[in-house]
Amino acid sequence: MGSEKIETVELGNGGPRVGVQGLGCMGMSFAYGPTDTDEARATLERALELGVTLFDTADMYGMGENEKFIAPFIRAHRDEVVLATKFAISLDPDDPSKRLIRNDRAYLRQAVEGSLQRLGVDEIDLYYMHRRDVNVPIEESVGAMAELVAEGKVKHLGLSEVTGSELRAAQAVHPITALQSEWSLFSRDIEDGVVQAAAELGVGVVPYSPLGRGFLTGAFVQAESELGADDFRRQQPRFTGDNAAANAALLEPVRAIADAHGATPGQIALAWVQQQATARGLAVVPIPGTRKRSRIEENTGATRIQLTEQDRALLEPIAGKVAGARYADMSFTSAGRE
């Protein structure tokens, strides 16, 4: 079993050493419909056995329920795992579809105390600002986050969906360990400046949705007809209507490369993201989400696949042909502000 373990990497200059692939825990209790909780808990354990040590959640996933879900696992393996959670998205309990972005000091203080309590820990290893509130200077927000480091409540700071200039401004206030943004064969807008800034500053990149929210695996095509009513992908422009059919056709080269490597399409998509570390000269630790042990084994297997120059050439044009935006409202993303 030891040979199955993935390799490790330092996540940003001075950051924690983690497995080269992490685990996004959101779907274990939020956004993707009903969950087999026993299998999800077994998946957490299996991930750790395979060398996955970065476990990612956020306070807004189920309004704190996701943090509570992974808390027993985190506490049982506290010295073996790197715990990442996030603040900044405030949900209306009466209407979770209503979101308010808050980066102010008062909200940050409230948020971190809530996460510490739900997780049952004294310190968060990596604390992200989940989204950027343009009405609050980023220097002010990061300054408030830095206070948490000084107080021992947080070890490392991260940002999510910020622009290259915002990342530079933040780094001038306090070292930023990781940048979390969407990055996949379907979503490459962070390559227009954000990745370059991260490489220049020594910030690790943590790609979320590296499998295009499952679409790149071929698991579904039309979200409206194939996914449950409570699956948030039914509201994503890329997975509905004519866009979905057009995007499904883009998977043909992914399948062909997978066949040539004796792999799955999802493994090829993940291998492409993993290998951006070498191509871009920085730490890249994707966090595909799953709640099944078989998928963890498949996903971590992607770290051992080496794509050829020809493979990469075939995959290169895909993102430019994708129909539909990442979100219906892109204003809350780095691409919406670049």
Side-chain angles (χ1 to χ4, degrees):
M1 188 174 293
S3 62
E4 293 181 298
K5 278 203 169 187
I6 61 176
E7 296 179 356
T8 63
V9 66
E10 184 180 64
L11 183 59
N13 291 345
R17 192 152 197 93
V18 297
V20 294
Q21 187 180 112
L23 177 62
C25 299
M26 179 182 79
M28 290 186 166
S29 65
F30 177 69
Y32 290 105
T35 297
D36 179 337
T37 56
D38 289 340
E39 177 62 17
R41 294 192 188 286
T43 299
L44 291 168
E45 298 288 347
R46 182 61 176 143
L48 186 58
E49 289 176 357
L50 292 170
V52 173
T53 55
L54 177 64
F55 293 84
D56 184 273
T57 183
D59 61 0
M60 64 82 62
Y61 299 160
M63 290 184 286
E65 290 304 312
N66 196 248
E67 289 180 325
K68 292 179 183 177
F69 181 84
I70 70 167
F73 167 79
I74 295 296
R75 291 196 299 269
H77 301 284
R78 192 67 193 97
D79 295 335
E80 302 169 80
V81 303
V82 173
L83 166 65
T85 191
K86 316 178 196 73
F87 83 97
I89 302 179
S90 176
L91 300 181
D92 182 342
D94 297 322
D95 183 3
S97 66
K98 292 182 179 178
R99 299 182 178 187
L100 179 66
I101 308 300
R102 292 189 61 180
N103 293 171
D104 57 280
R105 178 181 272 100
Y107 182 75
L108 166 64
R109 286 283 169 176
Q110 172 189 328
V112 74
E113 294 300 338
S115 288
L116 288 168
Q117 183 177 25
R118 286 186 294 271
L119 289 159
V121 298
D122 297 323
E123 188 175 41
I124 295 164
D125 298 316
L126 177 56
Y127 199 44
Y128 288 102
M129 187 173 78
H130 204 165
R131 289 292 186 273
R132 168 96 165 89
D133 177 2
V134 296
N135 297 309
V136 179
I138 196 163
E139 295 87 349
E140 182 180 316
S141 301
V142 174
M145 294 171 72
E147 293 172 6
L148 303 179
V149 177
E151 294 167 14
K153 294 179 179 179
V154 171
K155 284 183 182 176
H156 303 281
L157 301 185
L159 300 173
S160 180
E161 290 286 358
V162 296
T163 66
S165 60
E166 289 167 346
L167 180 58
R168 288 188 175 91
Q171 181 80 2
V173 176
H174 187 279
I176 302 299
T177 295
L179 166 75
Q180 184 175 142
S181 287
E182 187 167 353
W183 198 7
S184 73
L185 284 172
F186 267 28
S187 301
R188 297 180 59 179
D189 50 77
I190 70 166
E191 295 174 25
D192 294 334
V194 185
V195 169
Q196 293 85 340
E200 173 190 318
L201 299 170
V203 176
V205 176
V206 177
Y208 72 81
S209 298
L211 291 170
R213 297 179 175 82
F215 195 86
L216 285 163
T217 68
F220 71 97
V221 175
Q222 284 286 350
E224 294 158 303
S225 60
E226 297 178 52
L227 303 179
D230 54 354
D231 193 307
F232 91 113
R233 290 171 291 184
R234 289 167 61 103
Q235 282 75 53
Q236 301 295 99
R238 290 181 172 174
F239 310 140
T240 55
D242 292 340
N243 287 350
N247 291 336
L250 299 178
L251 298 182
E252 287 309 311
V254 182
R255 291 194 179 93
I257 294 168
D259 289 343
H261 284 269
T264 66
Q267 287 179 317
I268 297 305
L270 272 177
W272 180 87
V273 177
Q274 299 276 176
Q275 288 164 40
Q276 293 304 307
T278 301
R280 307 282 173 173
L282 77 173
V284 176
V285 181
I287 49 169
T290 186
R291 40 199 181 181
K292 295 181 179 179
R293 283 170 286 183
S294 60
R295 291 297 187 194
I296 278 286
E297 291 162 0
E298 177 182 338
N299 291 348
T300 54
T303 67
R304 295 183 285 276
I305 295 172
Q306 286 299 318
L307 299 178
T308 67
E309 186 175 338
Q310 183 180 13
D311 293 336
R312 291 191 294 273
L314 289 171
L315 298 172
E316 184 65 25
I318 292 176
K321 299 177 181 178
V322 173
R326 293 200 270 132
Y327 295 100
D329 180 0
M330 287 288 286
S331 64
F332 299 113
T333 70
S334 59
R337 295 192 304 280
E338 285 283 14

PDB file of all heavy atoms in Angstrom, residues 17 37 196:
ATOM      1  N   ARG A  17       3.857  21.297   4.248  1.00  0.00           N
ATOM      2  CA  ARG A  17       4.117  20.234   3.273  1.00  0.00           C
ATOM      3  C   ARG A  17       2.865  19.359   3.209  1.00  0.00           C
ATOM      4  O   ARG A  17       2.367  18.886   4.228  1.00  0.00           O
ATOM      5  CB  ARG A  17       5.345  19.416   3.676  1.00  0.00           C
ATOM      6  CG  ARG A  17       5.806  18.509   2.548  1.00  0.00           C
ATOM      7  CD  ARG A  17       7.290  18.206   2.589  1.00  0.00           C
ATOM      8  NE  ARG A  17       7.722  17.684   1.296  1.00  0.00           N
ATOM      9  CZ  ARG A  17       8.211  18.418   0.312  1.00  0.00           C
ATOM     10  NH1 ARG A  17       8.350  19.712   0.473  1.00  0.00           N
ATOM     11  NH2 ARG A  17       8.558  17.870  -0.845  1.00  0.00           N
ATOM     12  N   THR A  37     -23.362   8.954   4.237  1.00  0.00           N
ATOM     13  CA  THR A  37     -22.404   9.511   5.200  1.00  0.00           C
ATOM     14  C   THR A  37     -21.348   8.504   5.620  1.00  0.00           C
ATOM     15  O   THR A  37     -20.183   8.880   5.845  1.00  0.00           O
ATOM     16  CB  THR A  37     -23.131  10.050   6.440  1.00  0.00           C
ATOM     17  OG1 THR A  37     -23.928   9.014   7.012  1.00  0.00           O
ATOM     18  CG2 THR A  37     -24.029  11.225   6.074  1.00  0.00           C
ATOM     19  N   GLN A 196       0.748  33.804 -13.032  1.00  0.00           N
ATOM     20  CA  GLN A 196       2.054  34.451 -13.144  1.00  0.00           C
ATOM     21  C   GLN A 196       2.408  35.188 -11.847  1.00  0.00           C
ATOM     22  O   GLN A 196       3.562  35.137 -11.392  1.00  0.00           O
ATOM     23  CB  GLN A 196       2.051  35.420 -14.326  1.00  0.00           C
ATOM     24  CG  GLN A 196       1.934  34.742 -15.684  1.00  0.00           C
ATOM     25  CD  GLN A 196       0.492  34.444 -16.115  1.00  0.00           C
ATOM     26  OE1 GLN A 196      -0.421  34.399 -15.291  1.00  0.00           O
ATOM     27  NE2 GLN A 196       0.303  34.249 -17.403  1.00  0.00           N
TER      28      GLN A 196
END
